[in-house]
Amino acid sequence: MTVLEFRGVHRTHGGGEATVHALRGVSLSVRPGELVAVMGPSGSGKSTLLNLAGGLDLPTDGEVLVEGAALESLSHRRLAEVRRRTIGYVFQDFNLLPSLTAVENVALPLELDGWSIRESRRAALASLGDVGLAELARRFPDEMSGGQQQRVAIARALVGERRLVLADEPTGALDSQTGEMVLRVLRDRVDAGAAGLLVTHEARHAGWADRVIFLRDGSLIDTSGPLGTAADLLEPTS
Ligand code: ADP
Ligand code: MG
């Protein structure tokens, strides 16, 4: 069973002469237990790919399926449910609510999904523990460093057994030791049966993935060709 599938996905912005092709016919599938790293230069479509996988954006053409359901065909309500229950999304900026403590931020998606406050707090504390932040559960975001806030965002994305985990350069604000810890948590979740997509421009981070895919100008690069082609694309990007 495939958790995430892209079938000939195009995403364009604007029209006429000014049309931007953010993705040009991408097909891809990610299975349970598989972590796929997404690499490519700035502007190649990595965030677009993740936003489509997370149901935050819809394709101009083609289909995105999560656990067999085409996101485009879902009602607004059902899509919101899939995004709360099935998909965990770590954004480039943290998107924490400033008026909630760390544990409240992490518990929020579960509470919205009808869990009791007690159960959602318990799961949120466990998830904060996974990223080494159990001690800071009662702090507000502005009482934490950027790296700590990012770990809270990751705890929130992973709480409650999400089966599809999406992370867009999740280690950006972190020192290398904390970054490794975050990747380890992501890897553990995938090993426990989730499917994962990790956007990164660091080859060292892609080393945590089972497979690496490369985007250039909105297209997936065929890496089945001679060795070296893929390595050539690993030049530093912004
Ligand atoms: P990456 O994450 O690899 O840097 P993006 O997916 O953010 O790339 O962007 C891919 C391309 O699509 C870029 O050329 C970007 O400028 C364009 N793009 C993304 N979002 C929009 C938008 N909302 N309107 C117009 N162009 C966009
Ligand atoms: Mg991006």
Side-chain angles (χ1 to χ4, degrees), residues 79-98:
L79 177 60
E81 205 173 81
V82 169
R83 283 173 41 192
R84 273 200 317 271
R85 272 188 201 162
T86 307
I87 302 172
Y89 202 119
V90 186
F91 296 91
Q92 243 161 342
D93 47 12
F94 320 133
N95 273 354
L96 297 177
L97 295 174

Side-chain angles (χ1 to χ4, degrees), residues 13 20 22 41-48:
H13 296 283
V20 175
S42 185
S44 59
K46 304 181 299 295
S47 294
T48 302

Side-chain angles (χ1 to χ4, degrees), residues 103-122:
V103 68
E104 288 165 350
N105 265 286
V106 176
L108 187 62
L110 302 179
E111 286 179 32
L112 289 174
D113 207 26
W115 290 40
S116 72
I117 291 185
R118 192 191 163 112
E119 286 300 313
S120 33
R121 289 292 167 106
R122 196 206 306 256

Side-chain angles (χ1 to χ4, degrees), residues 1-59:
M1 164 77 165
T2 299
V3 180
L4 174 68
E5 188 173 357
F6 275 54
R7 291 186 186 158
V9 171
H10 290 259
R11 179 64 169 112
T12 56
H13 296 283
E17 294 277 295
T19 304
V20 175
H21 295 269
L23 283 185
R24 311 171 188 254
V26 168
S27 295
L28 163 75
S29 57
V30 189
R31 291 185 304 275
E34 192 176 35
L35 179 61
V36 177
V38 183
M39 303 189 80
S42 185
S44 59
K46 304 181 299 295
S47 294
T48 302
L49 181 89
L50 239 67
N51 287 338
L52 290 165
L56 300 171
D57 189 15
L58 291 173

Side-chain angles (χ1 to χ4, degrees), residues 155-168:
R156 182 185 53 189
L158 297 178
V159 77
E161 316 275 305
R162 313 304 175 83
R163 292 185 299 277
L164 175 60
V165 182
L166 307 169
D168 197 344

Side-chain angles (χ1 to χ4, degrees), residues 187-200:
R187 182 72 246 181
D188 286 349
R189 175 53 56 94
V190 168
D191 288 342
L197 269 186
L198 165 69
V199 172
T200 181

